[in-house]
């Protein structure tokens, strides 16, 4: 039952496009190397067998010791090493053996030594096997990613974003359409990246959009952002389950993006302007300057802010803040309550009552916030009973 | 039209089995050298083939090789000769499986052509 449910959920996205398997591309490259080795290796095997067989026939010997000597002789002949004569050097066989070996050398030096061995080595040297293995390992790990973010475009904005996500241990996959940036991406230390067009369904499915938490599209051009947003939203229609964040250059474009499915759209120029304003309004002080913004922007890793919605089934509804002992149990502090009608109560007292539809703004260490989230989840009693049924 | 590339690769796969069976009945060192050479050639020919059963075909070929290499060593050291023959029989079984899979693949390809 559960399986069929998840299956039908998987098939939900529109169209019939198969995800692009980046791992398979590099597996195929590895097979291609093997494929190119076929004929050089075949000449080596064929002439080794032929040499051993001919020497066995000429010398009329097939005991183990002789066969090993013939094998040795064949190999040292075509590899141009030639330590010694591995065959019978008694006068009756010597001349025939030498005649055969001469012919053998004429045929095998070009065919086995140059074509067989040298080509094999050069294929190995030129095919960058270590690089293929590196990509293969990266994409194999990428397939296992869950709850990760997809970031489109490698630029100043996403660099800063990736630096912060890394600090917090959040996994992400970078999609960059411009192949010339690959070296820079590598040097920047991105764990997972693909060089491809992010507005293609197969690419988005290939980087695991179905198990991802969100996507960030930060192109310089609005049209590219729009195509990524639309494609991603068509695959993952639920706005609460899958977040789409984007940048826009104008407010008009931002509005369009929001209508087409983006959760939030940032216009870099306006954001910077607002931040500048805040510096002017709150004169710079080492502690206070942009304190809340720094928290909101996630620049500080020791403190964070979070909104927790009170579920209507929660048994905390109707209780006073001081009675639920949240601060004692979790270490996080309620700094504001947003009522259902949008009114905000800043720094609520302990006597403030929690009402249905409230959102609590909670401040604290990231670990404390996680505890607080679990604290509120644990109070949704009915929900658990329904789940068990 | 005959696909000559296929004749070439199938030739070695069949020859691997026939030379192998030949050794089992003749116990002849010449036959053994031919058998191991042809088996190695058949393995290398399967490298990088992008067919439906490519992985399985390569696996059976490698099994046959790993039977025949110790068989050759044992046979020419003249210790455990019956074991060497036993290993050669094992390699023959792997070769038979390889041919069965080859036939399955031919049927698959034939049906694919019909669909088109």
């Amino acid at each position: 039952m559960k399986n069929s449910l998840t299956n039908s959920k998987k098939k939900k996205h529109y169209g019939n496009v198969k995800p692009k398997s980046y791992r398979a591309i590099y597996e195929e490259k590895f097979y291609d190397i093997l494929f190119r080795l076929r004929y050089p290796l075949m000449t080596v095997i064929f002439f080794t067998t032929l040499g051993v067989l001919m020497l066995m026939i000429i010398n009329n010997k097939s005991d183990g010791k002789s066969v090993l000597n013939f094998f040795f002789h064949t190999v040292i002949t075509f590899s141009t090493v030639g330590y010694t004569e591995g065959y019978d050097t008694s006068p009756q066989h010597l001349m025939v053996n030498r005649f055969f070996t001469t012919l053998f050398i004429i045929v095998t030096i070009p065919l086995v030594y140059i074509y067989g061995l040298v080509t094999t080595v050069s294929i190995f040297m030129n095919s960058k096997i270590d690089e293929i293995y590196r990509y293969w390992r990266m994409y194999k790990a990428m397939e296992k990613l869950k709850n990760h973010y997809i970031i489109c475009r490698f630029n100043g904005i996403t660099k800063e974003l990736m630096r912060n996500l890394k600090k917090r241990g959040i996994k992400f996959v970078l999609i960059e359409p411009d192949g010339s940036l690959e070296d820079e991406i590598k040097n920047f230390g991105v764990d997972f990246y693909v060089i491809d067009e992010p507005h293609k369904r197969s690419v988005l499915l290939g980087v695991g959009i179905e198990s991802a938490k969100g996507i960030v599209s930060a192109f310089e051009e609005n049209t590219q952002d729009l195509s990524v947003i639309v494609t991603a939203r068509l695959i993952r229609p639920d706005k609460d389950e899958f977040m789409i964040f984007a940048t826009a250059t104008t407010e008009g474009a931002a509005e369009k993006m929001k209508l087409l499915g983006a959760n939030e759209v940032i216009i870099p120029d306006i954001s910077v302007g607002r931040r500048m304003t805040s510096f002017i309004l709150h004169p710079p002080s080492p502690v206070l300057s942009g304190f809340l913004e720094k928290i909101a922007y996630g620049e500080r890793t020791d403190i964070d802010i979070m909104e927790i919605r009170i579920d209507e089934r929660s048994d905390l509804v109707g209780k006073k803040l001081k009675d639920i002992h949240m601060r004692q149990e979790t270490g996080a502090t309620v700094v504001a309550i947003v009522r259902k009608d949008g009114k905000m109560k800043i720094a609520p007292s302990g006597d403030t009552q929690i009402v249905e539809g409230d959102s609590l703004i909670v401040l604290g260490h990231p670990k404390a916030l996680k505890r607080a989230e679990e604290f509120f989840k644990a109070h949704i009693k009915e929900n658990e009973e329904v789940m068990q049924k | 039209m005959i696909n000559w590339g296929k004749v070439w690769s199938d030739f070695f796969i069949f020859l691997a089995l026939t030379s192998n069976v030949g050794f089992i009945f003749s116990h002849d060192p010449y036959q053994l050298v031919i058998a191991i050479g042809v088996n190695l050639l058949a393995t290398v020919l399967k490298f990088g083939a992008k067919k439906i059963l490519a992985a399985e075909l390569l696996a059976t070929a490698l099994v046959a090789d790993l039977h025949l290499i110790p068989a050759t060593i044992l046979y020419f050291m003249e210790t455990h000769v019956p074991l060497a023959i036993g290993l050669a029989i094992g390699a023959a079984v792997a070769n038979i499986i390889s041919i069965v899979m080859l036939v399955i693949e031919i049927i698959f390809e034939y049906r694919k052509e019909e669909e088109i």
Side-chain angles (χ1 to χ4, degrees), chain A residues 197-214:
Chain A
E197 300 286 343
H199 57 79
K200 283 185 185 158
R201 268 178 288 169
S202 58
V203 173
L204 286 179
L205 290 168
V207 297
I209 191 172
E210 284 176 302
S211 54
K213 227 176 178 176

Side-chain angles (χ1 to χ4, degrees), chain A residues 287-382:
Chain A
V287 186
L288 254 174
S289 178
F291 178 67
L292 273 176
E293 278 174 29
K294 275 186 185 169
I295 294 166
Y297 287 136
E299 280 172 24
R300 292 185 63 135
T301 49
D302 58 338
I303 193 161
D304 208 347
I305 197 160
M306 189 165 76
E307 182 185 343
I308 295 172
R309 271 190 66 104
I310 299 294
D311 196 283
E312 55 194 13
R313 291 162 296 186
S314 174
D315 59 6
L316 296 174
V317 173
K319 283 192 180 163
K320 284 180 179 172
L321 267 187
K322 65 179 177 188
D323 294 333
I324 66 172
H325 304 298
M326 192 199 79
R327 188 163 14 177
Q328 289 91 320
E329 278 189 38
T330 67
T333 315
V334 177
V335 289
I337 295 182
V338 183
R339 296 284 188 212
K340 216 177 185 175
D341 53 7
K343 276 186 187 162
M344 198 186 247
K345 233 183 144 169
I346 299 194
S349 70
D351 291 322
T352 312
Q353 213 170 29
I354 298 174
V355 196
E356 190 198 317
D358 274 356
S359 283
L360 305 187
I361 310 293
V362 186
L363 186 79
H365 193 275
K367 278 182 189 165
L369 289 183
K370 212 164 205 179
R371 283 197 293 268
E373 207 180 0
E374 279 158 17
F375 174 84
F376 283 103
K377 243 184 213 161
H379 279 281
I380 305 173
K381 287 288 177 242
E382 216 180 329

Side-chain angles (χ1 to χ4, degrees), chain A residues 32 38 42 49 53 56 62 64, chain B residues 29 34 44-45 47 50 76:
Chain A
D32 280 341
R38 269 186 345 161
M42 275 180 81
T49 315
L53 263 181
M56 281 167 81
S62 60
Chain B
I34 294 171
V44 173
L45 255 180
F47 275 180
K50 283 165 203 155
F76 284 118

